[in-house]
Amino acid sequence: MKTFTQLLCLPMVAGALAGAANSAHGAVGATTPFSSYEAEAGTVGGGASVVSLTSAPTTQYSSPTLEASGHAYVQLTGNGQYVQWTNNTGGNITAINVRACIPDSSGGGGITATLDLYVNGTFRQAINLSSKQTWLYEGNNNYQGNDQNPADGNPRVFYDDAHTFISGAAIPAGATIKLQKDSTNTAAFYDIDVVDVENPPAAIAQPANSLSITSYGATANNSGVDNSTAIQNCINDAQSQGKSVWIPSGTFYVKTQGGINANGVTIQGAGMWYSTIYRNMNLPNANPLGAIFNVTSCTVRNFALDSNAPSRATVDGCGGGMDTTGTNWLAENIWTQHTMSGFWASGTGGTVRNCRLTSIWADGCNLNNVALTGTVGNNLTATNNFIRGTGDDGMAINSVNYNGSTNYTPMSGATMTNNTIVAIWGGKCLGIYGGGGHQVMYNYMSDTARYIGLGVGKFGVNGSDLTSGTVMFNTVVRCGGNGFNQGQPALHIGNGGDGQGVGVVSGVTVSNNTVQNALYNGVGFSTSSNITFESNTITAPALDGIVIAPPFYPAPSGSASIRFNTVNALNSGHTQFVNNSSGYTATVVQNTWQGTHKLVPGTNVSFQAVGANSKYVTAPSATSPLIASASTVGSGQTFTVIDAGNGNIGLKALANSEYVCADNSGTSPLIANRTAVGPWETFTEVDAGNGNIALRALNDSEYVCADNAGANPLIANRAAFGGWETFAVATH
């Protein structure tokens, strides 16, 4: 059996943050324009060392290993020490982002230092690094505080992101990239977590029918200039003239306190590597700040936001990056750093996509029903975003019931798909807090420092109840943590995860998710009802696999169907499933630890419809649809089980060697005229109760079923299965 230490030390695969975490149902996580190279997966030399987390934390405080992606980093402490990677992107590299930690100053407040970059062993340039926006300190009297005084406790917030274009020629495929501490690099140590490498496209030209902020007096690359008024005047005229706003290449500094406001206009830049709006407040700051941009029913794209805030405190000049509301708004290709939140967004029909959120003080992307003037949060979407290093939740669906005397409509239909959320040091990777009809699918989450990786619940006493949702095909790796000395699980379902054991969490389906290398328990349940937890895989948790009522939760009540799950690679002394609450009714069937029926590759099976007609699944010919019209089972109605990989199955009719499959669209009848089984032709078993099973197509989560008459073709467009849509094994 693998030990806890061995599992934690496994390096992240280079490029995993670019959507390389795959399964039979497709890619999980964001597809990004960059590739990420973990330091611990590189080649170290000159005496450099790899530092990895070797055991779960025993205190509530943080550490550089806990906050690192992969829970590991490379430390350079002496001249000539280095970490090196090979460019295996298949193309040129012209830009690099380095996530690293250098020491604080003796009295707090940080330092700056350089680190040398080599290409194929030849010095190319010095990269500027800083610790001025890291190193906060906390103790029992100020846990999670924003103190930069080293005398006040234990350190946290170790890493910052620094990005730059690479000078000279592009780095070709196959060349080596090395970060090395030389005599001119004066920091006592350099903890290198990860580098992101890419080849950004050329700057975008000013589009037609747009107004440039420079035409209104905005000046680039001068930190002594406050461009707030110039930008606001440009937006005002663009709104009145029906034009868009243009942000040229350069860094434009602002000192806006209330924020720059826009309504119904497009604001666009030359690209996130070229155009930046940077809030540069005089510190200490006296008054609370709004977001840099307050936008209603707008499209914003292709620029970056940044700030000089050294913590999330008001005195440190921290405010949001972009607050948005309205209808059919869009934010895309925005790179935000060092702001309170990346996106704080309400309204109807809005989308955040293809954005990059790194080193954020609070939430990365918070979809809600309260931002700006909003009172609803309907059909909001966040997709294909990359988030790393946030001080609160990386992503959240945050449905508020009331604030003071103001009541809000519960959120409905939020969607979070194909996002990558990594190394969250102050919150969850992804939290679902209230509302209904949400879909959270195909997201990749890893390496929380203190808390739950994926939470399905309700936020506090004033949050909305969670009444329904679908949480499927997500991957949660090396998550959980010991915040508040609680030993929190990697995935949590229920209403007690934030210290508030109140309200409803009900009607949620959590299926086909993967939870790997949890720092404590794999999955925890608190008060919740009518939960379907099925076909999930929990691998190598440090403690138990699935636990109802972990010790720190309020004594839970409720109900769940826990079926067809796999828990494996447990450490000695731990178990797959534990129910610590007599008040929680869990129907636990057909899981791997129960030794119940599973379809086994190489065995022959038939399926009989459960119901009055007792019809069998049949394949009468190589070209006809599968039908359920036979009254008895025969050789032509029997299938052999084909292993499709990753625990999924295909079925092949014995009579004609054709496969049971759904077409690529997932909407046409199932047919039996395929010559091979593929990912979209495979099915996962779903427990239908009473020992019966249904089959669900992996590509679209639709069920194999026959209609009530028993005479029509099997179809794959059912959203749920009922009695006549389930099948019992007739023969083996």
Side-chain angles (χ1 to χ4, degrees):
M1 182 175 291
K2 293 182 179 179
T3 66
F4 182 75
T5 299
Q6 289 170 324
L7 289 164
L8 283 178
C9 291
L10 291 173
M12 291 185 69
V13 177
L17 305 187
N22 293 296
S23 63
H25 50 72
V28 175
T31 300
T32 67
F34 59 88
S35 296
S36 293
Y37 294 154
E38 289 292 324
E40 64 272 21
T43 300
V44 299
S49 58
V50 175
V51 183
S52 301
L53 188 68
T54 58
S55 62
T58 57
T59 76
Q60 63 182 331
Y61 298 109
S62 196
S63 69
T65 49
L66 280 173
E67 292 188 12
S69 59
H71 288 323
Y73 61 92
V74 168
Q75 186 169 76
L76 314 178
T77 58
N79 294 339
Q81 294 183 3
Y82 67 86
V83 57
Q84 178 176 283
W85 308 267
T86 299
N87 176 10
N88 61 8
T89 65
N92 290 332
I93 294 172
T94 59
I96 188 170
N97 179 79
V98 180
R99 187 174 196 251
C101 167
I102 62 174
D104 196 2
S105 62
S106 59
I111 65 172
T112 59
T114 60
L115 183 62
D116 288 345
L117 171 68
Y118 289 76
V119 177
N120 284 335
T122 300
F123 174 78
R124 181 66 68 91
Q125 70 193 87
I127 295 177
N128 295 316
L129 302 177
S130 172
S131 61
K132 292 182 177 293
Q133 292 176 288
T134 54
W135 293 96
L136 302 183
Y137 298 88
E138 60 185 352
N140 290 331
N141 62 331
N142 68 332
Y143 189 57
Q144 300 189 57
N146 298 296
D147 197 336
Q148 285 194 300
N149 183 0
D152 284 344
N154 298 274
R156 65 183 183 124
V157 193
F158 299 97
Y159 297 96
D160 199 3
D161 288 82
H163 60 274
T164 183
F165 283 101
I166 296 171
S167 62
I171 302 174
T176 59
I177 309 161
K178 179 168 66 175
L179 293 177
Q180 178 171 296
K181 175 176 164 46
D182 293 325
S183 60
T184 55
N185 308 137
T186 56
F189 64 82
Y190 297 81
D191 293 345
I192 311 302
D193 178 25
V194 61
V195 297
D196 310 318
V197 293
E198 61 186 295
N199 184 21
I204 301 168
Q206 180 175 353
N209 202 36
S210 65
L211 301 178
S212 174
I213 62 173
T214 57
S215 299
Y216 289 78
T219 303
N221 307 321
N222 186 340
S223 61
V225 174
D226 180 6
N227 293 292
S228 304
T229 300
I231 296 172
Q232 186 66 68
N233 288 339
C234 182
I235 290 173
N236 294 343
D237 279 2
Q239 289 173 171
S240 63
Q241 297 176 29
K243 296 184 178 181
S244 65
V245 176
W246 171 245
I247 305 172
S249 294
T251 298
F252 296 88
Y253 294 90
V254 298
K255 295 183 182 294
T256 177
Q257 294 191 29
I260 297 168
N261 302 304
N263 193 324
V265 70
T266 294
I267 304 171
Q268 54 197 324
M272 63 172 63
W273 277 91
Y274 302 98
S275 302
T276 301
I277 303 296
Y278 189 105
R279 176 180 258 163
N280 186 38
M281 300 303 296
N282 296 324
L283 303 178
N285 175 66
N287 301 308
L289 302 177
I292 299 174
F293 279 102
N294 302 312
V295 293
T296 300
S297 303
C298 288
T299 293
V300 292
R301 57 164 63 103
N302 299 325
F303 60 90
L305 295 173
D306 209 337
S307 161
N308 68 333
S311 85
R312 66 182 293 173
T314 295
V315 69
D316 287 330
C318 194
M322 187 170 295
D323 288 2
T324 186
T325 192
T327 59
N328 299 323
W329 52 262
L330 173 65
E332 62 181 357
N333 301 316
I334 304 290
W335 189 349
T336 303
Q337 297 193 126
H338 306 123
T339 61
M340 175 73 80
S341 57
F343 295 99
W344 190 261
S346 66
T348 299
T351 299
V352 180
R353 68 187 181 201
N354 306 331
C355 291
R356 203 176 305 189
L357 305 162
T358 54
S359 297
I360 300 290
W361 286 113
D363 288 357
C365 178
N366 188 303
L367 304 182
N368 57 67
N369 55 348
V370 298
L372 294 180
T373 60
T375 60
V376 299
N378 296 328
N379 302 318
L380 303 178
T381 298
T383 186
N384 205 61
N385 301 290
F386 175 84
I387 301 172
R388 182 176 59 209
T390 67
D392 212 316
D393 295 341
M395 303 191 80
I397 299 171
N398 178 19
S399 184
V400 177
N401 186 25
Y402 64 88
N403 274 328
S405 61
T406 303
N407 294 300
Y408 299 88
T409 302
M411 292 180 68
S412 175
T415 300
M416 289 184 167
T417 56
N418 289 105
N419 301 287
T420 292
I421 313 159
V422 178
I424 303 306
W425 53 263
K428 302 178 182 67
C429 284
L430 195 155
I432 306 166
Y433 306 115
H438 308 317
Q439 292 192 1
V440 175
M441 301 173 67
Y442 301 106
N443 300 288
Y444 178 85
M445 293 156 269
S446 71
D447 306 308
T448 49
R450 289 185 170 177
Y451 304 116
I452 294 158
L454 172 59
V456 182
K458 176 181 182 290
F459 191 82
V461 294
N462 67 326
S464 302
D465 292 334
L466 179 61
T467 57
S468 63
T470 301
V471 182
M472 297 177 66
F473 302 129
N474 302 286
T475 297
V476 184
V477 181
R478 293 182 298 268
C479 285
N482 204 32
F484 299 101
N485 292 312
Q486 291 176 331
Q488 298 190 22
L491 192 159
H492 163 249
I493 302 167
N495 69 4
D498 293 284
Q500 299 288 348
V502 296
V504 172
V505 176
S506 180
V508 181
T509 295
V510 181
S511 69
N512 289 281
N513 301 285
T514 299
V515 179
Q516 299 174 344
N517 305 114
L519 269 64
Y520 297 94
N521 294 312
V523 180
F525 282 80
S526 59
T527 297
S528 52
S529 61
N530 193 28
I531 303 299
T532 299
F533 187 80
E534 66 183 19
S535 302
N536 301 284
T537 301
I538 298 97
T539 300
L543 301 179
D544 298 322
I546 302 169
V547 181
I548 295 174
F552 67 89
Y553 287 111
S557 60
S559 61
S561 175
I562 299 174
R563 58 197 187 189
F564 262 34
N565 299 288
T566 298
V567 178
N568 54 40
L570 287 171
N571 285 313
S572 177
H574 295 283
T575 188
Q576 293 93 343
F577 174 76
V578 180
N579 188 347
N580 294 320
S581 174
S582 60
Y584 199 101
T585 302
T587 303
V588 185
V589 295
Q590 302 276 343
N591 299 284
T592 54
W593 62 87
Q594 297 174 295
T596 52
H597 167 73
K598 295 288 285 185
L599 294 183
V600 179
T603 60
N604 297 331
V605 296
S606 295
F607 295 96
Q608 182 179 18
V610 177
N613 53 37
S614 297
K615 301 298 184 182
Y616 288 87
V617 178
T618 64
S621 70
T623 57
S624 299
L626 291 171
I627 57 174
S629 58
S631 59
T632 59
V633 66
S635 61
Q637 296 130 4
T638 301
F639 302 85
T640 190
V641 181
I642 306 298
D643 184 3
N646 296 309
N648 301 317
I649 60 166
L651 299 174
K652 183 168 68 173
L654 293 184
N656 52 32
S657 297
E658 301 296 345
Y659 289 87
V660 177
C661 53
D663 73 355
N664 256 329
S665 68
T667 59
S668 297
L670 293 171
I671 55 175
N673 60 358
R674 297 285 177 174
T675 57
V677 66
W680 56 267
E681 298 167 334
T682 64
F683 302 86
T684 189
E685 297 173 82
V686 179
D687 178 30
N690 300 314
N692 301 321
I693 63 169
L695 300 178
R696 182 168 60 196
L698 290 181
N699 66 313
D700 53 15
S701 302
E702 303 295 351
Y703 291 89
V704 178
C705 53
D707 75 351
N708 227 348
N712 292 337
L714 292 170
I715 56 175
N717 61 358
R718 297 283 181 176
F721 59 87
W724 54 268
E725 295 169 334
T726 61
F727 299 86
V729 176
T731 61
H732 274 270

